[in-house]
Amino acid sequence: MHVTLRQLDVFDAVARHLSYTRAAEELHLSQPAVSMQIKQLEESTGIPLFEQLGKRIYLTVAGSELHRYARIIRQQLGEAEAVLEDLKGLRRGRLSVGVASTANNFAARLLARFVEDMEGVSFSLDVTNRETLLRQLENNERDLVIMGRPPKDADLDESAFMANPLVMIAPKGHPLAARQSIPLKELDGETFVVRECGSGTRIAVENLFDKCGVSLSTRLEMSTNEAIKQAVEAGLGLGVASMHTLGLELGSERLSVLNVEGFPIRRHWYVVHRKGKRLSPLAAAFKAFVLKEAGVFCGLLEASGRNGEPDRSWCGDCQQRCEI
Ligand code: PGA
């Protein structure tokens, strides 16, 4: 059966009015054009859809059945049209964001703020380490990723939005906690609790130690910032963590930040996607939201003091000089 939507529309009009003339008026067609469409529809269905008794026409049983289906098809097309219209805006859709473990603290809060009043929209937040995020980007598995600076040679679009200072931590009362400007060399051979391979924090620490010719033992490896903080607090060794993960511990004085040369390691957060990716309206809106609001919302950018505006000077020069 080869039936066109146009034929179904004409058929629906004739079936509702039970009149070729009134259907033609409604559709702004001539009456012969309407009759022709119905004739062709009857030919392709292979069964009469109307019968004429006296001056009136009636739907046959087959015509009634087809009319039922024609209305369902029309209604479903209308629904499809509405869904596509919503997808063009921000009322509907799904946003899939990958987030570096260290960014989890603020990413969930950011997302919660963004989704306020977006009932038709669903979100997934996958928290994992840098290596996995890079693989997800390569496989185009996420709309957006929030992570430390991606490798230069990857085909990625990256926008920096917030500083991510990495500091060296020790348990409260540690002898080094009272010292200033501790040379990194002095920590050669010190026990460190480090993040797992594939973590951006780990790579940054290894790069700095390497650059300064200091050896870093990776004997004590842990896969979350929480575990690192607990281990450092318990006296297993020193650690390095993003300031973003330390709020409570510093507030309750369970950990101290050491004043070590080369620290804080100045990293930054980036919102990243594949170059040339066609972002959905939802993903584009979230990216714009992160770039505009993240620093202010999370209260993590250094304030310049001028009109309370966040200081973004690190985005250019400092990033070139300090990012490891
Ligand atoms: P993480 O952090 O992979 O160590 O959690 C991301 C980054 O700093 O690049």
Side-chain angles (χ1 to χ4, degrees):
M1 182 165 93
H2 179 75
V3 175
T4 66
L5 283 174
R6 182 72 184 141
Q7 285 169 349
L8 282 184
D9 283 346
V10 172
F11 169 70
D12 173 59
V14 179
R16 278 187 287 109
H17 294 293
L18 292 176
S19 158
Y20 288 92
T21 312
R22 283 209 291 277
E25 277 166 16
E26 181 184 301
L27 298 170
H28 305 292
L29 293 173
S30 66
Q31 204 218 309
V34 169
S35 304
M36 177 58 74
Q37 293 278 356
I38 298 299
K39 188 165 169 280
Q40 284 170 353
L41 185 60
E42 286 184 327
E43 275 167 18
S44 73
T45 55
I47 191 164
L49 302 172
F50 295 99
E51 57 188 348
Q52 179 139 19
L53 299 174
K55 289 194 168 161
R56 295 186 56 188
I57 61 163
Y58 299 86
L59 280 164
T60 61
V61 174
S64 294
E65 280 299 313
L66 185 64
H67 193 209
R68 193 163 64 82
Y69 281 104
R71 277 185 302 209
I72 293 171
I73 290 167
R74 255 292 144 224
Q75 186 197 344
Q76 297 220 321
L77 266 177
E79 281 174 22
E81 203 177 333
V83 168
L84 294 186
E85 274 311 307
D86 283 358
L87 284 172
K88 287 185 207 161
L90 301 177
R91 288 191 299 263
R92 194 185 289 256
R94 183 174 177 77
L95 180 63
S96 162
V97 182
V99 178
S101 323
T102 304
N104 186 27
N105 290 48
F106 65 84
R109 279 186 291 149
L110 261 181
L111 196 58
R113 173 68 168 267
F114 178 70
V115 305
E116 271 171 19
D117 306 326
M118 286 191 180
E119 276 164 24
V121 173
S122 58
F123 296 88
S124 79
L125 192 75
D126 183 28
V127 181
T128 183
N129 71 20
R130 175 183 175 87
E131 195 174 86
T132 312
L133 291 171
L134 288 172
R135 203 174 50 243
Q136 290 177 346
L137 281 164
E138 192 179 330
N139 298 338
N140 198 20
E141 287 168 15
R142 298 282 170 263
D143 294 315
L144 294 170
V145 159
I146 291 177
M147 64 185 298
R149 185 178 218 171
K152 284 204 179 66
D153 53 356
D155 198 22
L156 298 171
D157 182 304
E158 61 196 55
S159 312
F161 65 90
M162 190 162 66
N164 173 26
L166 304 185
V167 292
M168 192 179 291
I169 51 174
K172 185 175 161 35
H174 192 281
L176 290 174
R179 301 247 325 261
Q180 296 297 310
S181 304
I182 306 160
L184 191 56
K185 282 258 182 222
E186 210 178 287
L187 302 181
D188 212 334
E190 186 78 37
T191 303
F192 277 87
V193 191
V194 294
R195 282 281 305 274
E196 80 285 9
C197 282
S199 140
T201 308
R202 162 85 172 256
I203 293 169
V205 175
E206 283 180 343
N207 285 349
L208 177 68
F209 276 56
D210 210 36
K211 208 170 85 181
C212 299
V214 177
S215 61
L216 177 71
S217 152
T218 54
R219 198 169 52 84
L220 298 176
E221 204 176 81
M222 308 205 172
S223 63
T224 66
N225 293 305
E226 269 324 296
I228 301 250
K229 289 186 294 182
Q230 300 275 350
V232 171
E233 201 183 325
L236 271 183
L238 303 178
V240 175
S242 163
M243 276 299 279
H244 297 175
T245 66
L246 291 175
L248 287 178
E249 288 75 8
L250 295 181
S252 60
E253 300 192 353
R254 281 150 49 197
L255 293 172
S256 308
V257 172
L258 300 185
N259 188 334
V260 179
E261 285 174 0
F263 282 84
I265 300 176
R266 293 178 186 277
R267 282 176 71 74
H268 301 89
W269 291 118
Y270 291 76
V271 58
V272 184
H273 55 83
R274 288 271 297 267
K275 260 192 191 137
K277 182 172 176 62
R278 296 181 66 175
L279 293 183
S280 67
L282 201 56
F286 184 61
K287 179 178 173 180
F289 176 81
V290 170
L291 295 183
K292 181 161 176 277
E293 303 287 337
V296 180
F297 175 62
C298 299
L300 292 166
L301 281 174
E302 305 122 79
S304 68
R306 273 180 290 120
N307 311 320
E309 287 295 309
D311 176 9
R312 292 180 184 271
S313 56
W314 48 265
C315 282
D317 187 40
C318 179
Q319 190 175 313
Q320 298 299 322
R321 283 188 287 113
C322 312
E323 182 114 6
I324 295 186

